[in-house]
Amino acid sequence: MFSSSTPTFPFMLIDYLTNFSSVEDDGPVTKWYGSSPPNCYNQKEILIRDWKLREEVLEAMTSGFLRNQSLGFPDYYLSGSGDKFPILLKHKPSDPDLTEVSANLPPLPCGTKIQNIAMSCFSDRKKDWVVCVKLPGSQLSLFRPFCNSKWIKVKPMPECISSLSSIMFSKKDQRFYIPSPGGNHLCSLDLNFNEDDKPRFFRVGFEDYPESVVSELEELNSCSRTDHLVESPTGELFYIKWYGEEYEGEDLDEDENYNDVVRSLTHKTKKFMVFREKETGYAEEKKNDVIIYTEEDDKTMTYTEDIGDLCIFVGHSQAYCVPASSSPGLKPNCIYFVGYSFGVYDITTKTCTTFFTRDADEEDNEIVPLRRLDFPYWPPPFPISR
């Protein structure tokens, strides 16, 4: 099952582990179940003891397939100036008639960390190619690799842009979107955006919550949340709410009472909620018995537990969506997540499978979620045929 080299279809490994049946306490992999009352979300936790296997899972979930297949990957290198790092961006278009291109993006200030990166569709008109990056402090910057020589900075709006959610590009709408902190609006930048322009904001409405889901919302109030937009290959837009919870670590002195002393907190994924865009045209919004017609670009999202053959990837960068049939090992109607925890969420059964390992940096080898906090970027899985 395990190999020293990266497999061609790495999600075969992930699929094997999520369906692993062993419960041996001393084996390389142990699986156990838990639930969170009162709603009893299904929690499946897989402890990976084998260090070689742990690295293979990290590789499979973040970079175990071909990079630059249709998305770019930022590569930092020292320019020689000693104080700034230019960025080399490579892009392999999905259109077979277009050749791979690369562009040097202007340096960002020393010490700046890219949180997210998204790109518009690449066409034979290179001047239309736009790159958008999200920096700390909800700062957005745009760059046209074949038109500009410097970044186009968007005026900082920390109260309008979520600091943790990711930016995405909609091929259908030809816009960059990022959710507001409350998730009720989308900040939007079009491809012709210039430094003197102001972003547009579209309202987002959520509807069709089943009664069973409404009862879950109260419990989720204590959870952290990030919001992500993702577009399917056919142009269907999904809104993803990613909930995380904190739990107390085990780093305690033997003579201290567990109920009185908490030495550490760990964060892991608890649940996802998925919403599908409803095609409504001009929407009707009723306030104080007065009907208000909203803009055509406003979004109405309906709750769903079925996205069909699709699977979604979320991490620190732009969320990505592909058909599960495009690569062996991918499971339909699932969300693959990386960041503070790694795992797979089944949308239908609401089962969250989280990978765990032992922290080698701790003397007591505390059990912690498998994680990688550097810049995970989702390229698409390697296809079955080219």
Side-chain angles (χ1 to χ4, degrees):
M1 180 180 78
F2 312 130
S3 64
S4 58
S5 60
T6 300
T8 304
F9 303 113
F11 285 100
M12 295 288 287
L13 171 61
I14 305 303
D15 182 62
Y16 183 92
L17 291 174
T18 55
N19 293 288
F20 194 64
S21 59
S22 173
V23 292
E24 298 179 7
D25 291 337
D26 57 350
V29 178
T30 300
K31 179 169 68 176
W32 67 92
Y33 295 87
S35 62
S36 300
N39 297 306
C40 295
Y41 303 130
N42 297 322
Q43 298 288 330
K44 186 190 299 183
E45 299 175 344
I46 299 176
L47 173 61
I48 302 175
R49 292 187 177 86
D50 185 272
W51 283 80
K52 182 178 178 182
L53 176 58
R54 187 193 77 160
E55 292 304 312
E56 291 195 8
V57 171
L58 285 170
E59 181 72 9
M61 289 289 286
T62 56
S63 58
F65 32 78
L66 292 182
R67 299 187 189 278
N68 310 320
Q69 187 73 15
S70 67
L71 292 178
F73 189 86
D75 181 23
Y76 292 88
Y77 60 94
L78 190 60
S79 65
S81 62
D83 59 347
K84 292 184 178 180
F85 293 81
I87 304 169
L88 176 62
L89 184 65
K90 296 180 180 180
H91 179 63
K92 186 174 182 179
S94 56
D95 187 341
D97 295 330
L98 300 177
T99 59
E100 180 174 319
V101 296
S102 62
N104 287 317
L105 307 186
L108 293 166
C110 186
T112 297
K113 181 180 180 181
I114 293 179
Q115 291 184 340
N116 313 137
I117 184 170
M119 296 183 297
S120 68
C121 302
F122 187 83
S123 66
D124 54 355
R125 297 183 61 191
K126 293 183 178 180
K127 66 178 182 178
D128 295 333
W129 188 28
V130 182
V131 178
C132 183
V133 297
K134 180 170 176 283
L135 308 175
S138 301
Q139 174 66 57
L140 301 177
S141 293
L142 296 171
F143 182 70
R144 299 180 179 89
F146 298 98
C147 294
N148 302 125
S149 59
K150 64 178 184 178
W151 290 101
I152 299 171
K153 296 181 180 179
V154 182
K155 183 180 178 181
M157 299 176 295
E159 72 280 3
C160 301
I161 297 174
S162 174
S163 60
L164 298 176
S165 299
S166 58
I167 193 166
M168 65 85 69
F169 177 75
S170 168
K171 296 179 181 179
K172 179 181 177 182
D173 298 344
Q174 291 293 294
R175 291 179 175 274
F176 293 98
Y177 289 124
I178 186 168
S180 64
N184 296 317
H185 295 81
L186 294 178
C187 174
S188 169
L189 306 174
D190 64 35
L191 296 182
N192 298 314
F193 189 90
N194 289 306
E195 199 153 300
D196 295 332
D197 296 336
K198 294 183 179 180
R200 292 183 62 187
F201 291 90
F202 303 132
R203 284 176 282 188
V204 182
F206 298 92
E207 62 181 27
D208 294 347
Y209 283 97
E211 289 186 11
S212 59
V213 174
V214 173
S215 65
E216 298 173 3
L217 295 177
E218 183 176 352
E219 182 184 351
L220 294 175
N221 285 337
S222 62
C223 294
S224 63
R225 195 189 89 198
T226 58
D227 295 354
H228 306 268
L229 288 167
V230 62
E231 194 172 70
S232 75
T234 59
E236 192 171 20
L237 189 68
F238 294 97
Y239 194 109
I240 314 298
K241 294 186 178 183
W242 183 359
Y243 294 91
E245 64 179 346
E246 57 188 33
Y247 65 96
E248 299 174 2
E250 302 173 354
D251 184 19
L252 300 171
D253 294 337
E254 294 182 359
D255 59 345
E256 291 179 329
N257 188 313
Y258 178 82
N259 294 321
D260 295 332
V261 179
V262 178
R263 293 289 188 180
S264 63
L265 294 175
T266 303
H267 185 276
K268 69 174 183 178
T269 296
K270 182 180 183 69
K271 181 179 176 63
F272 287 90
M273 284 192 178
V274 181
F275 300 82
R276 174 186 274 110
E277 182 181 11
K278 180 180 181 180
E279 298 291 343
T280 58
Y282 283 87
E284 293 183 357
E285 181 178 331
K286 199 168 185 179
K287 290 185 177 180
N288 299 324
D289 295 325
V290 176
I291 295 179
I292 301 173
Y293 291 89
T294 63
E295 290 189 51
E296 186 177 10
D297 291 321
D298 288 349
K299 307 291 184 183
T300 299
M301 314 300 293
T302 60
Y303 178 83
T304 184
E305 295 178 0
D306 183 10
I307 60 173
D309 180 55
L310 298 173
C311 50
I312 294 172
F313 302 87
V314 293
H316 292 318
S317 196
Q318 175 174 303
Y320 196 76
C321 180
V322 297
S325 56
S326 66
S327 185
L330 289 177
K331 186 177 179 180
N333 210 41
C334 283
I335 298 174
Y336 294 77
F337 57 91
V338 299
Y340 284 101
S341 57
F342 278 43
V344 183
Y345 184 84
D346 189 307
I347 301 172
T348 302
T349 65
K350 301 182 182 180
T351 300
C352 185
T353 301
T354 306
F355 296 113
F356 284 78
T357 188
R358 289 195 176 273
D359 191 347
D361 297 327
E362 298 290 339
E363 294 181 0
D364 59 357
N365 288 332
E366 180 183 1
I367 295 176
V368 295
L370 188 67
R371 63 182 60 190
R372 178 174 285 170
L373 299 182
D374 53 2
F375 191 68
Y377 197 113
W378 290 113
F382 190 77
I384 295 176
S385 60
R386 312 187 96 172

